[in-house]
Amino acid sequence: MTELIDRLSEDARKKAEKKRMPDWMDPMLAKLTHDFFSSEGWIFERKLDGERILAYISYKGDVTLYSRNQKELTDNYPEIQDALMKHAAKGCILDGEIVAFDENEVSDFRKLQQRMHVSSREEALDSDVEVYYYLFDLLYVDGHIITKCALRDRKKLLSVAVEAIDPLRMVKYHNHDGVKLYKKACENGWEGLIAKQAESPYLHSRSNKWLKFKCINQQEFVIGGYTEPHGERVGLGALLLGYYRDNDLVYAGKVGAGFDDQTLKALREKLEGINRDTSPFNQGDPETKAVQFVSPELVCEVAFTEWTEEDRLRHPSYKGLRRDKSPRDVHQEEQNRVAELDEEDS
């Protein structure tokens, strides 16, 4: 019987390492850029606004789902586990993104929150929020680590290792027209594109071999406090946000938009458990009365239009809590600047 690894070219097989399946492999992460380009040496994929998930499928066919910081999330997405047991090769490690969509077929992180924070497998199965696992990479198969193989080779093997039947889907990619695709992505309301060097290996770190072309400024922030609600608002008024610069927590502004009543109440309950008397911010002053500070333990995702000259967020909107990133790993991403996009390839 032909093994999947034999589907690789002779050159790619030389780069594959025969080893026992590792217990964990750190995911590759993309760097943010505003220098949009097209190149035959790169591929371009839709950037999905979901939760990064690595799927470990044992030789017996057992499936375990992990976040990018190694939290097991299998019970949050039981239908994904079941689908992988039926339609994926045994003895492999997959990389992808679990997403939920809005009515316009745009990935919706806020909607996905309803699945991310369920308390049991039963609650997940009862949820009316449909989720899909979009696969884009293969790290291990047939007793071989294939991370040193070129991305194109890994993708070809991935398409054979997994049968793309809902809720399993393959991330489609394009071999050229990065700039035109980026403009189309923004027109469609997508978060952006991911550009990946086609011959690159899979690196277990953040790398400029993978680049983010963002249509919407969006990143993680540490929650350092909250304000009291006013009028008919419930729960809280706004969250105080920050990011780490070296060992200092830097204040980045407040976010009071993007919440519904249920989220406000749930956040208030969660934050009251980590209240503190002193500010966690080492740099920057919230300059807000009636503030309740909290220990910097929670991370949230926030969309915004730009950074001000004072390094504060302009027009921020809350997207949801993140459980896949440590507060100490939250840093300010490269500041936004407007790039002129030409119709011709650059």
Side-chain angles (χ1 to χ4, degrees), residues 184-240:
K184 181 180 178 181
C186 297
E187 290 169 358
N188 290 338
W190 299 355
E191 190 183 354
L193 293 182
I194 299 290
K196 298 179 178 179
Q197 197 174 82
E199 298 303 313
S200 64
Y202 188 101
L203 305 174
H204 305 291
S205 62
R206 195 172 297 278
S207 170
N208 58 11
K209 304 294 185 184
W210 288 12
L211 298 171
K212 292 183 282 189
F213 296 1
K214 282 192 174 183
C215 299
I216 304 169
N217 283 314
Q218 186 170 312
Q219 71 161 82
E220 301 97 345
F221 289 94
V222 180
I223 300 175
Y226 57 93
T227 63
E228 294 295 333
H230 295 288
E232 297 183 358
R233 191 174 176 100
V234 300
L236 53 86
L239 297 176
L240 308 183

Side-chain angles (χ1 to χ4, degrees), residues 322-339:
R322 294 220 73 111
R323 58 186 171 186
D324 55 359
K325 193 161 188 176
S326 167
R328 285 281 176 176
D329 292 333
V330 174
H331 306 290
Q332 184 186 36
E333 290 191 344
E334 181 184 339
Q335 295 192 22
N336 183 50
R337 62 179 175 81
V338 177

Side-chain angles (χ1 to χ4, degrees), residues 111-144:
K111 186 175 182 179
L112 184 64
Q113 291 280 301
Q114 299 175 49
R115 291 296 299 275
M116 290 174 62
H117 301 292
V118 297
S119 58
S120 67
R121 186 181 182 90
E122 290 71 29
E123 185 180 348
L125 289 170
D126 288 339
S127 173
D128 59 0
V129 176
E130 294 184 349
V131 296
Y132 302 89
Y133 189 25
Y134 276 79
L135 294 151
F136 52 73
D137 220 320
L138 179 64
L139 284 61
Y140 183 92
V141 68
D142 279 346
H144 291 77

Side-chain angles (χ1 to χ4, degrees), residues 9 32 81-82 86 101 132 135 155 174 178 183 197 219-220 229 267-268 273 291 301 307 336:
S9 66
L32 178 65
Q81 180 191 34
D82 292 343
K86 296 176 183 176
F101 290 103
Y132 302 89
L135 294 151
K155 281 187 171 291
H174 302 265
K183 294 179 73 174
Q197 197 174 82
Q219 71 161 82
E220 301 97 345
L267 275 172
R268 178 63 181 250
V291 170
E301 188 86 8
W307 291 94
N336 183 50

Side-chain angles (χ1 to χ4, degrees), residues 19-193:
K19 286 190 176 181
R20 176 182 68 84
M21 179 183 284
D23 295 328
W24 174 249
M25 301 179 81
D26 286 329
M28 188 168 179
L29 303 174
K31 287 188 175 182
L32 178 65
T33 183
H34 298 291
D35 296 323
F36 312 119
F37 61 87
S38 298
S39 172
E40 292 183 359
W42 291 70
I43 66 170
F44 302 91
E45 301 175 347
R46 177 179 178 179
K47 189 177 190 307
L48 295 161
D49 193 7
E51 184 165 37
R52 182 78 171 272
I53 295 291
L54 285 91
Y56 283 66
I57 306 174
S58 74
Y59 292 105
K60 294 181 179 180
D62 299 323
V63 175
T64 308
L65 306 178
Y66 292 103
S67 69
R68 65 182 181 182
N69 60 341
Q70 209 174 347
K71 290 183 180 178
E72 185 180 341
L73 305 178
T74 312
D75 286 345
N76 292 81
Y77 307 114
E79 68 270 61
I80 305 300
Q81 180 191 34
D82 292 343
L84 288 170
M85 291 175 68
K86 296 176 183 176
H87 303 298
K90 296 180 180 179
C92 68
I93 300 175
L94 308 168
D95 194 357
E97 190 102 355
I98 288 183
V99 301
F101 290 103
D102 65 15
E103 61 278 5
N104 298 315
E105 289 301 307
V106 175
S107 53
D108 188 342
F109 185 72
R110 189 177 286 116
K111 186 175 182 179
L112 184 64
Q113 291 280 301
Q114 299 175 49
R115 291 296 299 275
M116 290 174 62
H117 301 292
V118 297
S119 58
S120 67
R121 186 181 182 90
E122 290 71 29
E123 185 180 348
L125 289 170
D126 288 339
S127 173
D128 59 0
V129 176
E130 294 184 349
V131 296
Y132 302 89
Y133 189 25
Y134 276 79
L135 294 151
F136 52 73
D137 220 320
L138 179 64
L139 284 61
Y140 183 92
V141 68
D142 279 346
H144 291 77
I145 294 176
I146 62 169
T147 52
K148 291 183 179 179
C149 299
L151 174 61
R152 287 194 193 279
D153 291 318
R154 301 196 307 271
K155 281 187 171 291
K156 288 177 182 177
L157 205 54
L158 173 64
S159 66
V160 181
V162 180
E163 192 175 6
I165 297 176
D166 278 349
L168 307 178
R169 297 178 177 180
M170 294 291 169
V171 174
K172 297 179 181 179
Y173 62 92
H174 302 265
N175 294 304
H176 50 78
D177 291 338
V179 172
K180 292 180 181 178
L181 287 167
Y182 170 74
K183 294 179 73 174
K184 181 180 178 181
C186 297
E187 290 169 358
N188 290 338
W190 299 355
E191 190 183 354
L193 293 182

